[in-house]
Amino acid sequence: MDGSGGLSSALLCLDNLAVAPPGHAGAILSGVDLRVGAGERIALLGPSGSGKTSLLRTLNGLARPHSGRVWFGGADIGTLRGPALRALRRQIGFVAQKHDLVEPLAVHQNVMAGALGRWGNGRALRYLVWPRRAELDEAEAALRAVGLAHKLRSPTRALSGGEQQRVAIARAVLQAPRLLLADEPVASLDPATSASILDLLTTIARDRGMALLCSLHQPELAARYFDRVLLVENGALRPHLVD
């Protein structure tokens, strides 16, 4: 279902989209029509296995649509390959439930992974052993946005779960995307930490003009922090009304 503005005002457009998990013969979610405006914040609610992760992976270009189309910034993601796809994906940030951080590395090294899309391999390898002051300043600025500037050189493994999630958000902030996708970012966190992470995500998205799509299990948090709430259930996507 749709329920937003037209194509001319949309950053992201899904047209009759169907998605399938890896190795799955048929679509788990189909008939999806959605328009997302720049700066809009949308929560995706639904049970495990309903297709939320498959949908986000398709929006990020990590998976091809089973059918239908995904338009981002006027480009059809499903038709892109190689450098064109990599260039588009630099505009889409992703925050995963399990952080996807390399725990033996320092915090700043994980944060600067957000720059890999614009760095060559040589610069990335050099940064691991000899970071320059300007690069450290960039990492520190991203960490300051999530309240962790003081953890710049700390080992990532020494951080709490909530702090690690903030590092993952800082990595996405450093990427400076137009669209930020968050896949169950608070699933393993306690209620107070969950609220603080969602407040941080939505505030950063608002202040930086990023569109935000975030999958959740908690209707009360979705209603509290997001402009729109959509339900992913029984193979369909539809508006969700919260009391």
Side-chain angles (χ1 to χ4, degrees):
M1 298 295 174
D2 173 77
S4 67
L7 286 168
S8 62
S9 62
L11 173 67
L12 177 71
C13 304
L14 313 184
D15 291 330
N16 198 27
L17 180 68
V19 301
H24 200 278
I28 190 173
L29 181 63
S30 61
V32 177
D33 293 312
L34 180 67
R35 307 289 180 264
V36 181
E40 189 173 9
R41 295 165 291 174
I42 299 175
L44 303 173
L45 289 177
S48 298
S50 60
K52 299 188 304 297
T53 296
S54 295
L55 176 59
L56 293 178
R57 284 175 53 84
T58 303
L59 302 187
N60 197 30
L62 291 171
R64 297 289 175 191
H66 185 75
S67 63
R69 291 186 175 185
V70 178
W71 297 89
F72 176 75
D76 183 352
I77 292 180
T79 66
L80 301 180
R81 302 289 189 276
L85 179 59
R86 289 193 293 273
L88 182 137
R89 290 188 62 207
R90 285 199 292 269
Q91 303 178 58
I92 303 175
F94 191 85
V95 178
Q97 176 183 341
K98 296 185 182 297
H99 318 308
D100 290 335
L101 302 177
V102 182
E103 293 198 357
L105 295 181
V107 167
H108 70 86
Q109 292 170 319
N110 273 297
V111 170
M112 289 307 293
L116 293 180
R118 52 187 161 91
W119 285 3
N121 291 335
R123 183 174 180 182
L125 289 172
R126 190 266 303 154
Y127 181 83
L128 289 175
V129 296
W130 184 37
R132 293 173 179 166
R133 183 68 254 173
E135 294 164 343
L136 288 171
D137 288 345
E138 188 177 3
E140 187 173 15
L143 286 166
R144 188 174 299 110
V146 300
L148 287 180
H150 60 293
K151 298 287 188 178
L152 180 71
R153 296 182 181 273
S154 298
T156 303
R157 65 161 62 94
L159 303 184
S160 68
E163 288 173 333
Q164 289 194 4
Q165 193 60 286
R166 286 173 180 266
V167 172
I169 295 170
R171 178 181 58 195
V173 166
L174 186 135
Q175 186 179 334
R178 299 171 68 192
L179 171 65
L180 181 59
L181 308 174
D183 187 16
E184 299 284 2
V186 300
S188 58
L189 303 177
D190 63 78
T193 305
S194 295
S196 69
I197 290 294
L198 290 179
D199 182 68
L200 178 64
L201 268 174
T202 53
T203 298
I204 286 174
R206 180 197 66 216
D207 291 349
R208 296 172 185 247
M210 297 185 294
L212 171 64
L213 267 69
C214 178
S215 64
L216 294 170
H217 282 297
Q218 304 95 328
E220 68 283 0
L221 292 178
R224 179 177 174 185
Y225 289 104
F226 292 85
D227 304 318
R228 251 197 304 167
V229 181
L230 303 175
L231 183 63
V232 184
E233 189 175 50
N234 297 325
L237 178 71
R238 60 181 175 82
H240 180 66
L241 300 178
V242 182
D243 294 333

